[in-house]
Amino acid sequence: MEVVIVPDAAAGGELIAEAIGALLSRRPDALLGVATGSTPLPVYRALAAKVRSGAVDASRARVCQLDEYVGLPPGHPESYRSVVLREVVEPLGLSEASFMGPDGSAEDVQAACEAYDRALAEAGGVDLQLLGIGTDGHIGFNEPCSSLASRTRIKTLTERTRIDNARFFDDDIDQVPHHVITQGIGTILESRHPILLATGEGKAEAVAQTVEGPVASIVPASALQLHPHATVVVDEAAASKLKLADYFRATYAAKPAWQGL
Ligand code: PGA
């Protein structure tokens, strides 16, 4: 696992946007797995700026969703489909046809989950999967004690996550759904390059356990240790509990520029 410590969230956004730009120049129709929440927004802003300036051609990019609430009315502004269309698809100038996600309002949720896993495989698999991390160590909505082999399925959110996400629902936890669809940990590990971005002190403990703790389902993000090419990008605050921070800094500083992330 490569750990890159950046000064702040904007620098993390710029670094990952550069990696996405490099991927799109190698593979113009790359399938980009995107995450929601506050953390990835600097990535999307930096990438959209590169597209606007002509530095990156994203016209053939494809975008896919990581997770979704179950039971929000279609078109709800906080459904992750709405968020990804608003924050990623539209700013990159893409059409809805280039976007895929699970159906959070399907009557048969299990069938919708299986259909989404199949659709990802049929699309050739995810080339780059951007991830945030929950304060409880979740990736996607794989809450603690999720199977490390899990596929896309329905999950129940922890109280902690519902409290964390209430800010998107008028600070009213009662409006935050209990159930979600999430790519499984096994599904996420099939992406060719998972990149986890974490910023702020609130994520420092989860980051330390993810990077330096044992692989354990109590910290779902620790499963990234099993991936041959996983990158963790953290700002100084999120890195503040890493014992090997100096080693990670020295390693990245000495890395040949041509290698990219
Ligand atoms: P956040 O969410 O970026 O809004 O902190 C991260 C997550 O829950 O994965």
Side-chain angles (χ1 to χ4, degrees):
M1 177 182 282
E2 175 175 40
V3 180
V4 181
I5 301 174
V6 292
D8 53 30
E14 183 61 29
L15 183 68
I16 296 173
E18 276 169 23
I20 295 172
L23 169 64
L24 288 172
S25 66
R26 289 195 305 276
R27 187 185 278 234
D29 64 347
L31 181 56
L32 307 175
V34 295
T36 46
S38 310
T39 311
L41 296 177
V43 178
Y44 307 141
R45 286 198 198 107
L47 185 59
K50 289 182 192 303
V51 167
R52 278 195 306 274
S53 74
V56 169
D57 178 1
S59 58
R60 291 177 56 203
R62 296 170 299 151
V63 173
C64 67
Q65 217 174 316
L66 180 61
D67 46 14
E68 181 59 283
Y69 291 112
V70 169
L72 289 181
H76 188 291
E78 293 307 327
S79 77
Y80 283 174
R81 179 184 179 88
S82 299
V83 173
V84 171
L85 290 174
R86 189 167 68 232
E87 303 290 354
V88 186
V89 173
E90 287 163 22
L92 294 184
L94 298 172
S95 73
E96 273 194 56
S98 57
F99 165 77
M100 51 198 282
D103 182 357
S105 55
E107 252 176 52
D108 185 341
V109 177
Q110 181 59 29
C113 293
E114 289 169 19
Y116 189 52
D117 256 0
R118 272 197 308 279
L120 291 174
E122 280 161 16
V126 177
D127 290 296
L128 185 154
Q129 178 64 57
L130 186 57
L131 299 165
I133 185 170
T135 53
D136 63 2
H138 71 215
I139 44 172
F141 271 140
N142 294 284
E143 297 287 32
C145 295
S146 287
S147 159
L148 301 186
S150 49
R151 313 299 308 171
T152 301
R153 70 214 183 290
I154 188 167
K155 285 292 288 181
T156 303
L157 294 180
T158 59
E159 186 78 354
R160 175 75 259 158
T161 299
R162 292 181 64 241
I163 292 168
D164 286 348
N165 286 10
R167 67 191 194 280
F168 297 113
F169 292 87
D170 306 323
D171 283 320
D172 177 6
I173 188 173
D174 292 334
Q175 289 185 43
V176 183
H178 285 272
H179 295 118
V180 291
I181 291 175
T182 182
Q183 284 190 33
I185 296 177
T187 319
I188 291 169
L189 291 180
E190 282 171 7
S191 68
R192 286 184 265 281
H193 185 190
I195 302 182
L196 186 149
L197 176 62
T199 52
E201 206 179 339
K203 302 292 174 67
E205 185 59 39
V207 166
Q209 291 187 30
T210 295
V211 173
E212 296 174 342
V215 174
S217 64
I218 191 75
V219 183
S222 67
L224 293 174
Q225 293 179 30
L226 299 169
H227 195 286
H229 185 197
T231 306
V232 174
V233 178
V234 282
D235 70 356
E236 290 287 349
S240 59
K241 295 194 173 163
L242 288 172
K243 295 190 192 81
L244 295 181
D246 286 343
Y247 170 66
F248 297 136
R249 281 195 193 91
T251 303
Y252 188 66
K255 187 176 184 180
W258 57 264
Q259 273 187 331
L261 282 188

